[in-house]
Amino acid sequence: MSLNKVMLIGRLTRDPEMRYTPSGQPVTSFSIATNRYASGPEGDRREFTDYHNCVAWNIGKRNLAEIMGQNLRKGSLVYVEGRLQTRSWEGQDGQKRKTTEVIVNDFEFLESRGAGAPAGAVQGSEDGAPLEEAAVRDVDPDEIPF
């Protein structure tokens, strides 16, 4: 038995990029930043930011790639669920390259996209249960190096 499942809450580090495969299939790529905390060598609490490359495809009748590409922007707070996938290729310089990405199979907007809740408000999950507000830590989009 094995398991490959990723669940992340974070902010987009750049606007999503939607492209189309030669067969016309839309694919959206984006990156999100998540924060974690650890104690430093002198016992001080330090914050670390991790960056995750994500890829969304349309799944059946669910237009994930199109919805994410059209509605998300740099700084958007999202919940992303999916699996890890590693792929490799040969670059134009002849060097072998490798990357690990989150292949998205579900997501939730965690901020209001229009009127109603103020920006930064945490909404409930798909089943209506409130998400833990403490689990959500803002990343200032201007501090993201991409």
Side-chain angles (χ1 to χ4, degrees), residues 26-56:
V27 58
T28 298
S29 60
F30 58 96
S31 179
I32 64 173
T34 58
N35 296 318
R36 60 188 167 86
Y37 301 91
S39 295
E42 297 170 14
D44 55 325
R45 186 175 176 181
R46 298 182 54 199
E47 178 181 10
F48 298 91
T49 303
D50 295 308
Y51 302 94
H52 313 275
N53 292 322
C54 302
V55 178

Side-chain angles (χ1 to χ4, degrees), residues 65-98:
E66 294 169 290
I67 292 169
M68 296 182 91
Q70 294 167 1
N71 294 292
L72 294 176
R73 297 289 170 259
K74 179 180 177 179
S76 296
L77 183 65
V78 293
Y79 165 78
V80 170
E81 189 174 306
R83 63 182 167 82
L84 286 179
Q85 178 175 294
T86 302
R87 61 183 174 91
S88 57
W89 71 97
E90 189 173 307
Q92 292 178 346
D93 58 1
Q95 295 287 343
K96 188 161 179 125
R97 306 230 190 272
K98 192 178 200 178

